[in-house]
Amino acid sequence: MKNFKYMLGSFLILTIYSCEEVLFEQDISGETVTLIAPANNTEIEANSVRFNWESLEGATNYEIQIATPNFANANQLVLNTVTDSTFYQVELIENEYEWRVRAQNSGYVTAYSSAKFSVIPITNFSNNTVILLSPANGLITNEDSFNLKWEEVLEATQYRIQILDENGEPIQSETTNDTNLDITFPEGSLQWQVRAEKDNEFTLYSSRNILVDRTPPNIPTLTAPTDEQILTNPLVSFNWTRTLIEGSVEFDSIYVYRNLTLTDLVLKDEVTAPYETTLVTNETYYWYMKAFDEAGNESDDSTVFSFTINE
């Protein structure tokens, strides 16, 4: 009987918690997502279609679906995915389609908003879109050499590739007949873009961002506890300084050991200064710091300080 009461109590707590979670969500079930493009009955002369809709207050993400020729008589569900953006781009072949979007959060969904469109044969080469494949958009890395890859555009005679600096100014330009190119990036917040060309015609550039950071963070300088300091309080406040370097996000890690050979690990954590923790008294500890960044670089170890906590 006791176990049954416990299970019942747990169930009630979980039920109340779940209800509270839904109550905190905005009820969007009566709202409507406004589609922007493609508009209803649009004909699109392109190899890639970009779908746009207006954001809806209270929504955390959106479900987008594409069917051919339509949802009432669907031969194929071409796309069914969820995104937190208000746009989505996909490559489509010539055909009739219907697309629809609904907004949702953890407790509610709207009805679908839908529109029909057709992808028709491309008569103007410039209406093509270069589909970029790799590296991924927004990549943060300490590597600088990549093989850029993209989809083939029919009738293209060559592809022009540009590297832009953080101000959007071209700093490198290459051409190739292939659908890939080996590139060595300089350090910095950059953009790479590709367009297809045919005689005097060319498409718009398709672009992606990349942050190349090959510089390790500076080594932290320990400030407290000072080396060989005697403490009486088991609540230890660690402090250090480090000058940031422009690039990817940096962070510090602390390492605390019980022995000078640094094999008996007591504490290892990603921390910000100052950092406080409680340690066992009547012990001598050895500590150092190390810095890392989002690109995968790491600093050398700082100097090792020791301190003792006496009751």
Side-chain angles (χ1 to χ4, degrees):
M1 189 68 176
K2 183 178 180 181
N3 288 339
F4 173 75
K5 289 180 178 179
Y6 174 77
M7 292 171 65
L8 179 60
S10 299
F11 173 77
L12 288 173
I13 290 171
L14 288 172
T15 302
I16 292 170
Y17 177 79
S18 299
C19 290
E20 286 181 347
E21 188 178 47
V22 172
L23 288 174
F24 280 119
E25 288 285 10
Q26 181 176 336
D27 184 355
I28 59 173
S29 57
E31 303 295 329
T32 302
V33 177
T34 300
L35 306 184
I36 299 176
N40 196 40
N41 296 323
T42 300
E43 290 187 342
I44 299 173
E45 183 183 329
N47 63 329
S48 178
V49 181
R50 181 182 174 96
F51 299 88
N52 297 83
W53 56 93
E54 293 184 2
S55 62
L56 182 67
E57 183 179 355
T60 54
N61 51 53
Y62 303 88
E63 181 184 65
I64 176 173
Q65 295 181 336
I66 305 172
T68 179
N70 53 59
F71 289 102
N73 186 30
N75 293 330
Q76 184 181 4
L77 186 62
V78 178
L79 177 72
N80 182 17
T81 191
V82 174
T83 177
D84 56 7
S85 300
T86 56
F87 64 88
Y88 198 87
Q89 187 160 346
V90 64
E91 189 173 7
L92 295 173
I93 62 174
E94 298 166 17
N95 215 329
E96 294 182 352
Y97 298 94
E98 184 177 11
W99 71 290
R100 64 186 185 184
V101 176
R102 72 178 183 183
Q104 53 193 31
N105 56 36
S106 63
Y108 305 94
V109 297
T110 68
Y112 285 107
S113 298
S114 63
K116 297 179 181 180
F117 68 98
S118 299
V119 175
I120 63 176
I122 297 174
T123 58
N124 187 343
F125 179 82
S126 61
N127 287 334
N128 282 290
T129 300
V130 179
I131 308 298
L132 305 182
L133 299 178
S134 64
N137 187 38
L139 178 65
I140 300 173
T141 178
N142 58 6
E143 301 291 332
D144 59 4
S145 296
F146 289 92
N147 181 245
L148 308 183
K149 296 181 179 180
W150 55 91
E151 292 278 6
E152 178 185 8
V153 174
L154 294 179
E155 299 183 355
T157 56
Q158 69 173 17
Y159 302 91
R160 186 171 303 276
I161 302 90
Q162 290 186 335
I163 309 300
L164 312 180
D165 64 17
E166 60 183 7
N167 298 316
E169 297 296 327
I171 56 175
Q172 187 175 347
S173 183
E174 306 281 349
T175 59
T176 180
N177 298 325
D178 298 322
T179 55
N180 68 91
L181 181 69
D182 291 326
I183 283 285
T184 299
F185 288 96
E187 276 197 277
S189 180
L190 309 166
Q191 185 179 79
W192 62 280
Q193 58 183 23
V194 182
R195 79 179 187 189
E197 298 181 350
K198 173 192 172 186
D199 301 327
N200 294 323
E201 298 180 273
F202 50 84
T203 68
L204 295 175
Y205 279 106
S206 297
S207 64
R208 285 184 173 178
N209 297 319
I210 184 170
L211 174 59
V212 178
D213 180 0
R214 294 180 53 81
T215 305
N218 286 316
I219 302 171
T221 300
L222 309 187
T223 58
T226 58
D227 194 22
E228 300 183 349
Q229 184 175 352
I230 306 298
L231 305 176
T232 58
N233 190 340
L235 180 61
V236 182
S237 180
F238 295 91
N239 217 330
W240 61 95
T241 61
R242 181 173 58 82
T243 303
L244 296 176
I245 296 176
E246 185 177 356
S248 60
V249 175
E250 300 177 350
F251 54 93
D252 297 309
S253 288
I254 187 171
Y255 303 81
V256 181
Y257 296 83
R258 283 194 181 90
N259 58 342
L260 182 58
T261 56
L262 307 180
T263 57
D264 188 2
L265 182 65
V266 176
L267 171 69
K268 175 186 176 183
D269 202 1
E270 181 182 324
V271 293
T272 56
Y275 171 72
E276 290 187 339
T277 190
T278 300
L279 298 173
V280 176
T281 58
N282 298 319
E283 291 273 7
T284 297
Y285 297 93
Y286 302 84
W287 71 291
Y288 70 89
M289 301 289 303
K290 191 171 186 176
F292 300 83
D293 65 30
E294 197 176 359
N297 302 298
E298 56 186 67
S299 73
D300 291 332
D301 298 345
S302 72
T303 55
V304 178
F305 277 9
S306 70
F307 62 91
T308 302
I309 305 175
N310 290 333
E311 286 185 325

